[in-house]
Amino acid sequence: MCPVVVPSASDLAKDLRQRITMFHAGDELYSGAWLADFQRRGAVAWQVCTTALQVGPSKTCDEELAQAFCAQTLARLARAFTSCFQEPAVQKSARDNLEALLVVFAAGKALVWKQLSLALACAELWRGTWVAAAALNAHNLPALVRMELLALPSELLFDDRALPLTNRQLRESAGASLFRSSSTVFMFLLSDIADDSTPEEDCQKALRVLASWLRAVRKSLLWLPGVDAAAPLWHLAALGQHLLTAARVAPAEAAEVAQQLAKWKSAPQEATTVLKPLLGSLFLHDAAGAADLTPLWLLPLLNDLAEDFWPKAALGELDLDWEAIARHAIVGLGRVTTHVDSAHGEQANLEDAECAISIWQTFAETLQSAAQAAESFCSSSSEPKPLFSPPREKRTRRTHDRWLLSAAKLAESQPLQLIFQLVLDKLSEHLRLPAFLEDEDAVAIIQGARAAAESALLPWARLAGNPQAWGEQLLLPLRRVEAILADVSSSESEEIMAEERASEIEVMLWLFSAVCSSMLEAHPSSSDVAATTKLAVQSLEPKLAGLDHACPLWRTSLWTSVYSMATAVNSCSAMPCSSGPVLLEWMLQRSPSEARSLETQEVTELLYARALEAACKRLPSGTSHPALGERLFMLAFGDWDPSNQQDERRVEVQALYLSALRFAMGEQPDALCSFMANTVMPKLCRAADDEAARSLSSCCWDGAPWPAHRVLFETLASLLPVGRPSADIEHPSLPIWRQAWKYLQAALLDYPVEAASNQPVNAATKALRRAALRCPVMLPEVLRLLASSVAKRDPEAQLNVLREIISDVPCPPVDRSKAAELLDAAVASAAEALLDRAQDLVESPDDLAAMFALLAEAVRPSASGTSGGGPCKDQLRPLVLMRPDLVCRCLNLISRALPECCSKTCAEQMIRFVTRLISTEEASPESHTWLLSSTLAPMCSSLCSALAAQDFWTVPESLAEAGELLLTASEAMPEEFHSALATGLVLVGVSEHSKALLQQHMLSRGEWSQKGHWLEQLHQIVVEWQSERHLNIL
C-alpha cells in the first residue's frame, strides 16, 4: 500500500487560489470538497491563510474571493484556537498576527475584516485574555470595526454561535471581563449621542450593541456569584439622557434595549429606574399611532414585560406605569382585525394577531407561576435533582429570587380584574365574525385568532383562586346576550334579526363558551363554577328561541355557538350527572338541517354531534332514555344508504351519534344490544361484505374509504359498557363482538389498505382499544390480533394502540400480574416480528418511532421516589427486561439507525427507550446490567454521531432527551461510562478538539447547579460539532 502523502503548506498555497476560483466558477463538488478539507488542516491552513493575507487588500475579483475565504478559514479555525496552537507563546504570536491583519484590512471589504474580527475575538476568549479595553483603545481602527469587536464577545458567549467554553475558569474570566467593562463600554456607545441630530444609523448600531452587551452581562451573572447585579444598571442610568435621545431617533432598537432591562430579574428595582423613562419615551414616540395599532417592534417588548416586571407593577411591587403598558397591549389586540399598519408602514397578519394575544397569556402565566411558587415554597418536590444540587445557601437564595405571590393578594387585586375585563371587552370587539360570512378568508382569520384567545384565557381562569370572585366576568357575556334577545323578542317579533345584532350575539356566545371552558378546565373540581355556569345557561335557554329570527347563514352561526357553549358546559367534570345536561332538548329541536343553510350544514353537523355526545355523557347515571336513543339512532342511520359513497365528515358524525347513543342507553345494555343486533348489525354486515367484495376488484374510493366497516366498528364500540370497565363475562355485547370478529381480523390482516387514511386498519385498532379497556374480558384476543397484524401490515397504528393499552389497562378489574404477562407476550411478539425485517423498519421512521415508543412505555419505571406508577403497577417492566435477546437486538438496531435517522420524533423515542432501560429507579436483573455495560460504547458512538449529523438535535426538546441519556448513563454506570464515551467518540466525524469538549463537559457536570444551564453548554457543543459538518464556503 502506498503511503499517504500529506501536502505541505507551500503545496496547499499553490492550489488554494485556483480551487477558490474554480469553486466560484461552479465546481462546487470537487473544489468545494478540497476547500472544506483544507479548512480542517489546523495550523497548516492557518499558516497558509495568514501568509496569503499579509499582502494586504487586493482589487482584483479573484484575489478578493481568495482573501475572503482565507479570513473565513481563520475565523473557523479560531473556534478551536487552543487545539491548533497549544504552546502559550505560539498562541500569543498567532493572536498578534490576527490583530496586525485586522489593522491592514480594517478599511477594506467588510466581509474580510468581520471574519478577522471574529477570529481575534475567538482567540482571546480561548486564551482567557479578552478585555474590552483593547477595542475601546484601538484608535487606529475605524469606529465600525471597534463596534464589531465589542459586539462579538457577547455573541460568542451566549448566542447561537457561542463558543463551547467547557473550562470553568475561561467562562468566569470572560464573564468577569464583561462585567468590569460595562461602564466604559456603555460610555463609549452612548456618550457621543447628544441630541436628535445624531444620524439614525449610528444610533441603531449603538443600541444594538448595547442590547447585546446587556444580555451578555446579565447572563454572565450566573458565572459570577457575589457580584453586585445592579452595578451595570447604575452605570447605564448615569447615561440616561443619552439613552433617551438615542431612543427617540431609533425607537425599534431602543425597544431591544428595553427588552434586556425587562429581563434583569436579579436587580428589578434598579432595572426599572432605567426602564421607566425609556418606556415613557417609546410610548410617547408611538402616541400618534397608539390609538390605531401598536407597532410590530413593540410586541416583543410587551411580551417580555409580561414575563415579570409588568405583573409586579400591576400589584404595586415595582414602580412602572403598568396602565400605559396595558393600554398598548390592549391596542395590540387590534391586529386581529387590522391587516395593514398604515401608521408604521408594516404588514400585519394572523401571526401578529396571535403574538398580540399571547402577550396576555404570558401576563397571566407569570402571575400563575408566582402563585404556584408561593404554594410550593419549602416543598421538597421543587428541589433540583441531586446531580445538580447546589450548596444550601445557593438554593435558599434562588428560592427567594423567585417571585412568590400569595393567593390572598392575588384574589384581592382589583387591577387584575379590571385588566381581565378590558381584555374581554377588546376580544369581543375585535373577534366578531365579518358581516359578509361568505368571505371565507376573513372568517378563517377570525377563527384562528379565536383559537389563540382561547389558549390565552386558560391561565387567566387559573388565576381565579376563588372563582366566585371572578364570576361577574364569566357571566357578563351571557347577560349581554340575554339583554339583546329580550330586545329582539320585544321589537322584532317574527322579523329577520339585524346582522349587527346577530354578530354581537354570536361573539358574546363564543366569548362565554371560551371563558366557561377555561374556568371549568382550570377548576375541574369546583362545584361552584359548574353550578354558576349551569344556572346561567339554564336561565338563558328560554330566550334562545330568539336566535331563530336570524337569516339562515347567521342562524347557523348562532346555533353553532350554542352547540359550542353546550359542549363546554356539559364537559365539566365537577357537574354532578344527577343534575342532567343543559340545552339537550333545545339542540334536539335545532339540528343543522333545521337552520336551512345548506352551505354550512356540513361544517356545523360535526359540532352538533359533538355537543350531543357531551350532553348525553351528562345524563344521570342509572337511567336510560329510550326516546332519546331512538332519536339518536335516527340521526345516525335515518338517511344512511350503504350503496351510496359517504364522505369523511359523515362517517365521523355517525361515530359521534353512536357514542351519544351508548351513553343514552348504557344502563339498558340488554335492550340496546338486542335492538342493534336485530336491526342494524345484519345490514352493516351485508354492507361490509359487499364493500369487501368491491375492494377486491377496485381499491379506489370516491368518498371516505371503507365507510361500512368503519360504521360497523363504531357500532360495536357503542355496545361496550358505560362507566367503570366491566369484567362481566356475560355482558350482552360480547356475542355481537365475537360474531363480528371476522371483520376486525380481515381489516387488520387481509383487506387492502387505503394508503392516505390507513383505513380500515385505523378504525379497527381504535375499536379494539376501546374493547380492551372497557371490556377487558376481550384483552387476550385483542392483544393477539394486534400483535399478529404488526407482522403482516404497516404497523404504526397497531403499535400506537398497543402502547395506549399498556398505559391505560385497568388494574383492577384486570389482575396486574396477568395483564403484565399478556402485554409482555404481545410486545415481544410485535417487536420480534419487526426486528426480523429491520431494514424495512429503518426505512420507515414512523414505524420505527412507534415501535420504540411502545417499548419505552413497556419499560417505563415509576417516577422517582414512588412505586406502582409503571405499567401494570410496575409488573410489566421486569418481564421485558428478562428478555435479554430482545433488548440486545433493539439496542443494536438503535446503534445502527440513530446516526442517520432524519426523523426528530423517531430519534427521541429511541433515546427515551435507552434512557428508561438504564434507569436506576428500580432494581434490574444482573444479565440486564451486563448487557447495558457491553453495549454502552456503541450506544455512545451512535448518539454522538447523530448529534453531529442531524440538525434537529439543536432543538431544546430533542437535546434534552439526549442530555438525559448521557446523564443517566453516567450516574448509573460511572465506572464504565467515561471509557465507553471515549471509545465511542473514536468513530465520530468531528475534530479531536470537539470530542474533548464533550468529554470535559461530562466530567465537569458536578460544577453546574442547574440542569438547564448544563444543557445550554451541551447545546453549544452540539452546534460546534454541526458547524464542522456544514463548513460553508464564502
Side-chain angles (χ1 to χ4, degrees), residues 964-1001:
E964 190 68 30
L965 173 55
L966 291 171
L967 292 171
T968 302
S970 65
E971 183 181 10
M973 296 176 284
E975 296 180 1
E976 301 93 338
F977 175 75
H978 293 289
S979 61
L981 180 61
T983 302
L985 283 169
V986 170
L987 299 178
V988 179
V990 296
S991 67
E992 294 302 318
H993 169 77
S994 293
K995 295 175 184 178
L997 292 176
L998 180 60
Q999 291 175 294
Q1000 185 176 4
H1001 190 50

Side-chain angles (χ1 to χ4, degrees), residues 301-365:
L301 170 59
L302 293 172
N303 194 71
D304 285 336
L305 288 167
E307 289 181 350
D308 194 67
F309 284 11
W310 176 19
K312 287 180 178 178
L315 292 174
E317 297 189 19
L318 285 179
D319 183 21
L320 281 179
D321 189 351
W322 66 267
E323 292 179 288
I325 302 171
R327 281 195 300 272
H328 280 77
I330 286 286
V331 173
L333 294 176
R335 290 194 170 275
V336 175
T337 51
T338 306
H339 308 300
V340 177
D341 183 351
S342 57
H344 302 90
E346 301 165 327
Q347 291 294 319
N349 51 38
L350 178 58
E351 287 74 16
D352 301 326
E354 291 171 341
C355 180
I357 292 172
S358 71
I359 292 170
W360 294 101
Q361 181 172 347
T362 302
F363 182 92
E365 287 173 345

Side-chain angles (χ1 to χ4, degrees), residues 26 81 99 127 172 217 228 317 360 384 478 661 706 727 736 785:
F81 187 76
E99 186 176 39
R127 295 182 67 227
E172 292 179 351
V217 173
D228 183 5
E317 297 189 19
W360 294 101
L478 275 196
L661 174 62
W706 296 96
I736 304 176
L785 180 53

Side-chain angles (χ1 to χ4, degrees), residues 892-967:
N892 289 337
L893 178 60
I894 292 175
S895 296
R896 169 187 169 189
L898 184 59
E900 298 180 1
C901 179
C902 298
S903 166
K904 173 177 175 290
T905 301
C906 182
E908 289 177 359
Q909 294 298 345
M910 288 191 280
I911 293 298
R912 188 172 300 149
F913 168 65
V914 180
T915 303
R916 290 179 178 177
L917 280 180
I918 301 175
S919 173
T920 58
E921 294 301 328
E922 298 178 8
S924 301
E926 185 176 343
S927 60
H928 178 67
T929 303
W930 177 87
L931 174 61
L932 292 176
S933 299
S934 64
T935 57
L936 188 56
M939 187 57 60
C940 287
S941 178
S942 175
L943 174 60
C944 293
S945 296
L947 292 176
Q950 305 300 337
D951 292 339
F952 59 76
W953 288 112
T954 58
V955 176
E957 295 80 7
S958 299
L959 189 62
E961 293 283 353
E964 190 68 30
L965 173 55
L966 291 171
L967 292 171

Side-chain angles (χ1 to χ4, degrees), residues 167-433:
N167 184 287
R168 180 177 180 177
Q169 287 72 31
L170 288 179
R171 293 196 302 270
E172 292 179 351
S173 172
S177 185
L178 282 169
F179 186 84
R180 290 192 302 267
S181 305
S182 57
S183 60
T184 53
V185 170
F186 294 167
M187 177 69 72
F188 172 78
L189 294 173
L190 296 175
S191 60
D192 290 339
I193 303 176
D195 53 48
D196 293 353
S197 63
T198 305
E200 182 180 5
E201 184 178 353
D202 291 351
C203 290
Q204 290 174 338
K205 182 65 175 178
L207 290 173
R208 289 195 191 103
V209 176
L210 176 60
S212 177
W213 258 77
L214 286 170
R215 179 175 181 268
V217 173
R218 174 175 55 82
K219 283 183 167 285
S220 69
L221 295 175
L222 296 171
W223 301 342
L224 305 172
V227 302
D228 183 5
L233 300 173
W234 290 123
H235 300 320
L236 186 59
L239 297 164
Q241 290 303 317
H242 296 274
L243 177 60
L244 294 180
T245 300
R248 288 194 296 271
V249 178
E253 288 72 21
E256 297 177 18
V257 174
Q259 283 181 258
Q260 298 307 319
L261 294 171
K263 295 178 180 180
W264 211 291
K265 299 179 184 179
S266 55
Q269 300 296 340
E270 292 81 0
T272 55
T273 301
V274 184
L275 184 59
K276 184 177 180 179
L278 180 57
L279 289 178
S281 174
L282 293 174
F283 292 160
L284 183 63
H285 178 276
D286 186 50
D292 177 31
L293 203 62
T294 299
L296 291 176
W297 52 261
L298 205 52
L299 296 182
L301 170 59
L302 293 172
N303 194 71
D304 285 336
L305 288 167
E307 289 181 350
D308 194 67
F309 284 11
W310 176 19
K312 287 180 178 178
L315 292 174
E317 297 189 19
L318 285 179
D319 183 21
L320 281 179
D321 189 351
W322 66 267
E323 292 179 288
I325 302 171
R327 281 195 300 272
H328 280 77
I330 286 286
V331 173
L333 294 176
R335 290 194 170 275
V336 175
T337 51
T338 306
H339 308 300
V340 177
D341 183 351
S342 57
H344 302 90
E346 301 165 327
Q347 291 294 319
N349 51 38
L350 178 58
E351 287 74 16
D352 301 326
E354 291 171 341
C355 180
I357 292 172
S358 71
I359 292 170
W360 294 101
Q361 181 172 347
T362 302
F363 182 92
E365 287 173 345
T366 301
L367 292 165
Q368 180 188 342
S369 297
Q372 290 174 344
E375 291 176 7
S376 62
F377 187 65
C378 296
S379 170
S380 60
S381 62
S382 64
E383 292 290 334
K385 290 188 176 181
L387 183 61
F388 291 92
S389 181
R392 182 174 182 82
E393 64 273 12
K394 287 186 179 181
R395 293 201 303 269
T396 304
R397 183 173 67 249
R398 190 167 62 243
T399 300
H400 286 291
D401 285 344
R402 298 176 65 189
W403 185 25
L404 306 180
L405 179 61
S406 69
K409 186 171 184 178
L410 183 62
E412 296 169 0
S413 173
Q414 292 298 321
L416 292 185
Q417 296 186 28
L418 174 61
I419 288 174
F420 185 50
Q421 187 56 57
L422 289 173
V423 172
L424 294 182
D425 290 343
K426 281 295 178 181
L427 290 177
S428 65
E429 174 185 345
H430 293 299
L431 295 183
R432 287 192 181 191
L433 292 177

Side-chain angles (χ1 to χ4, degrees), residues 467-468 471-472 474-475 478 512 526-539:
Q468 287 182 318
E472 188 66 22
L474 175 64
L475 298 180
L478 275 196
F512 172 78
S526 173
S527 56
D528 291 337
V529 173
T532 301
T533 302
K534 183 172 183 180
L535 287 174
V537 174
Q538 286 176 331
S539 68

